[in-house]
Amino acid sequence: MEAFFKFKEYGTNYRREIVAGLVTFVTMAYIIIVNQQILSMTGIPAGAVTLATCIAAAIGTLMMVLANVPYAQAPGMGLNAFFTFTVCFGLGFSWQQALAMVLICGVINFVITVTRVRKFIIASIPKVLQCAIGAGIGIFIAYIGIKNAGLLSFTSDPGTYVALGDGDPLTTTIIAGSGTIPGIVSINTIPLIMGVVALIIMGVLMVLKVPGAILIAIVASTLLGIPFGLVNFEFATYFKELGSNFGELGAVFGQSVIAIPSLFADTGKIIIVIATIFAFSLTDTFDTIGTFIGTGRSTGIFSEEEIDNITKTHGFKTRLEKALLADSLATFFGALFGTSNTTTYVESAAGIAAGGRTGFTALTTAVCFIAAMFFAPVVQAVPGWATAPALIIVGVLMAVPLKDINWHDLTDAIPAFFAAITMAFFYSITTGIAIGFIFYCITKLATGRYKEIHPVLIVITLLFIANFVITAIL
C-alpha cells in the first residue's frame, strides 16, 4: 500500500492521509442532503437522489485513487441548481431528459480529455491567471465557509425577487436580484456563537501547528454543540426508509440512457438541447480545471513543471493527466445512477491543508461516502458551523498566490482582480475564470500586446461569451 501510494516520495503516512480524507468528507458531506433537496424538486424520488449522490461521489472519488491524488468528487453545487431551475423548470424538460443531457456531457468530457483538448486548455492559461484562479478559489471557499457558518444575512427589497414554490418557507425557493443586500447577522444565538468559537479553536491550533488541527477542531466543536442540542440524530425514520430508497434507486438507474432518443424527437428543440449540453459541459470542464490549477499549484500536488509541460507528454502518465481522466468519467457514472454533473470539489483543499498528498486521502473519503448511504443521519449530524471554519482557514492559505501577481501592470492586474473576486461574488469558479479570460484578452489587445494571448485562450474566451449569450436567451 505504501509503495502504491508512494508515501515516502510525497512525505506522508497513513495517519495523515486518513485524517485528511475525513476532513475532506465532513466539509463536503452537506451535498448529500442539499443535492437531494434540489434535485427531488424535479420529481426524482428523494431517496434515490440521496443514494445516487453517495454512489456518484464514491465512484468519482475512487477514480482519483487510481490517479493517486487527494481529490474528492461529488455532484456539483450550481450544476444541480442549473439542472433543476433552468433545464427542468425553465425549459420544461423532464428529469429523465435532463439526466440524458448530463450523460451526454459526461461523454463529451471524456472525449475532450482523451483527445488532449483539456491539456491544451490548461497550457493556454497564463501564469498570472493561474495565480488569480488559485487565490480566487480560496476566496470562494472562505465565502462558502462564512455562509455555512450562518454569519450572512440577505435583505431583499420588495419586487426584486421571485418565489418558486407554494409559499411555505420550508419548501419555497427565493431567486433574488441586485436589490438584495448582504450583511452580517447579529451574533446572538448559540449556533452562531459556537461557529465563532470553532473558528477560533481551529485558528489557534493551526497557528500552533498541531497535527490534525482541522479535524480536531471539527470534532471538538461538534461535541461542544451536543449539550446545547445543536447536534441532531434522526436514525429511526431513515433506517425504516432505507429499503424503499434502494427500490427508488433501481427505478431511476439507467433512465438517462432511455431518455436520450426523446431529446432529439422534437426537431424544434434540438438547438436548445445542444445549447444546454454545451452549458453543462463548459461549466463542468472549467470547474475542474480551475480546482486543479488553483489548489494543485499552490499546494504542490501538481508541480509547476507538470502543469507547464502538460502538452509535451502523451497518454496519461502524470498525476494531473490521470486526475483529468478520472474527473471526465465521473459525470457519466453519476448520470447513470440519477444525479447531476459530478465534479471535483474545491472542499478537497481542506483535506490537502490537513496533510493529504496521495490517493489514500481520496480512498478514505470514498469509503466515508459508501458508509454514508447507510448512516446518513450520522453524517448530517455534524453541523455546518463546525465544518465552516475549515473552509475559512483554507481560504486564508490559498490566498498566497496573490503576492505573485504584478499589480503595477494593469493588463495583468485587472483580469487577475476580476478572476479572483468574481468566483465568490457569483458563486461559480467557471464564471470567475470566464470573466478573467475576457478581461485578459481585452486589456492585452487594447495595449497591442496580443502576442501574450495564446490562440487557444482566444477560442475559449469566445466560447465563454457565446455561453453567456446562450444562457441569457435560455
Side-chain angles (χ1 to χ4, degrees), residues 148-160:
N148 289 354
L151 295 174
L152 289 175
S153 68
F154 296 90
T155 302
S156 296
D157 295 333
T160 61

Side-chain angles (χ1 to χ4, degrees), residues 233-240 375 377-378:
F233 299 94
E234 299 177 356
F235 294 102
T237 303
Y238 183 78
F239 286 123
K240 287 179 181 178
F375 299 99
V378 177

Side-chain angles (χ1 to χ4, degrees), residues 122-158:
I122 292 174
S124 72
I125 303 175
K127 286 189 177 180
V128 62
L129 286 182
Q130 290 187 22
C131 292
I133 290 169
I137 289 176
I139 297 169
F140 179 37
I141 290 176
Y143 180 75
I144 294 173
I146 293 170
K147 186 178 73 67
N148 289 354
L151 295 174
L152 289 175
S153 68
F154 296 90
T155 302
S156 296
D157 295 333

Side-chain angles (χ1 to χ4, degrees), residues 130-465:
Q130 290 187 22
C131 292
I133 290 169
I137 289 176
I139 297 169
F140 179 37
I141 290 176
Y143 180 75
I144 294 173
I146 293 170
K147 186 178 73 67
N148 289 354
L151 295 174
L152 289 175
S153 68
F154 296 90
T155 302
S156 296
D157 295 333
T160 61
Y161 61 87
V162 176
L164 300 178
D166 55 9
D168 185 341
L170 297 178
T171 59
T172 300
T173 298
I174 302 297
I175 300 179
S178 297
T180 301
I181 301 173
I184 187 171
V185 299
S186 298
I187 305 177
N188 55 6
T189 64
I190 294 178
L192 291 172
I193 294 172
M194 292 298 295
V196 174
V197 170
L199 178 60
I200 293 172
I201 291 173
M202 190 174 294
V204 170
L205 292 177
M206 290 291 290
V207 169
L208 296 177
K209 298 181 179 180
V210 176
I214 294 177
L215 184 60
I216 291 172
I218 292 173
V219 173
S221 302
T222 302
L223 293 176
L224 285 174
I226 293 177
F228 296 99
L230 302 179
V231 180
N232 298 316
F233 299 94
E234 299 177 356
F235 294 102
T237 303
Y238 183 78
F239 286 123
K240 287 179 181 178
E241 297 173 349
L242 191 56
S244 63
N245 288 350
F246 276 98
E248 292 176 352
L249 180 65
V252 172
F253 180 81
Q255 289 297 314
S256 54
V257 178
I258 297 172
I260 290 178
S262 69
L263 281 179
F264 304 98
D266 185 350
T267 55
K269 284 189 173 182
I270 289 180
I271 294 178
I272 295 177
V273 170
I274 294 173
T276 305
I277 294 172
F278 171 73
F280 267 132
S281 298
L282 198 67
T283 302
D284 198 345
T285 296
F286 280 92
D287 270 4
T288 296
I289 289 176
T291 299
F292 283 157
I293 290 179
T295 61
R297 180 184 284 273
S298 62
T299 60
I301 299 299
F302 305 125
S303 66
E304 289 198 19
E305 181 181 1
E306 190 174 352
I307 296 174
D308 295 341
N309 297 320
I310 191 169
T311 59
K312 298 178 182 178
T313 58
H314 295 275
F316 299 92
K317 299 176 182 179
T318 67
R319 293 212 292 175
L320 177 54
E321 292 169 323
K322 293 176 182 177
L324 287 170
L325 180 62
D327 175 85
S328 71
L329 292 168
T331 289
F332 177 84
F333 287 106
L336 276 180
F337 281 94
T339 185
S340 53
N341 302 60
T342 303
T343 186
T344 303
Y345 258 56
V346 292
E347 284 85 352
S348 300
I352 294 173
R357 290 296 179 270
T358 74
F360 201 84
T361 293
L363 178 61
T364 303
T365 304
V367 171
C368 288
F369 271 111
I370 293 172
M373 288 192 291
F374 307 96
F375 299 99
V378 177
V379 174
Q380 296 165 16
V382 180
W385 51 260
T387 58
L391 302 179
I392 298 172
I393 294 297
V394 168
V396 174
L397 300 177
M398 291 188 64
V400 174
L402 289 174
K403 68 179 177 61
D404 298 323
I405 297 172
N406 182 8
W407 295 102
H408 298 288
D409 182 353
L410 288 181
T411 64
D412 282 348
I414 291 175
F417 175 79
F418 280 109
I421 67 168
T422 52
M423 287 186 189
F425 285 168
F426 299 129
Y427 216 73
S428 169
I429 293 174
T430 297
T431 300
I433 293 174
I435 294 174
F437 281 11
I438 291 170
F439 273 101
Y440 186 83
C441 290
I442 290 174
T443 55
K444 296 299 181 181
L445 289 172
T447 54
R449 295 163 61 176
Y450 54 88
K451 291 184 179 180
E452 296 180 30
I453 309 174
H454 195 288
V456 174
L457 190 70
I458 295 176
V459 174
I460 297 169
T461 301
L462 292 175
L463 289 176
F464 274 132
I465 293 172

Side-chain angles (χ1 to χ4, degrees), residues 14-82:
Y14 284 114
R15 184 196 61 79
R16 190 176 300 162
E17 295 290 303
I18 291 172
V19 168
L22 291 173
V23 168
T24 297
F25 175 72
V26 296
T27 54
M28 63 184 286
Y30 66 86
I31 192 60
I32 297 174
I33 183 64
V34 173
N35 201 46
Q36 179 238 77
Q37 291 173 338
I38 293 176
L39 294 188
S40 63
M41 295 173 68
T42 67
I44 307 177
V49 178
T50 299
L51 295 178
T53 301
C54 293
I55 293 172
I59 292 175
T61 305
L62 283 172
M63 290 178 183
M64 290 297 180
V65 175
L66 299 178
N68 199 23
V69 291
Y71 288 96
Q73 299 193 78
M77 285 297 296
L79 286 164
N80 53 10
F82 181 74

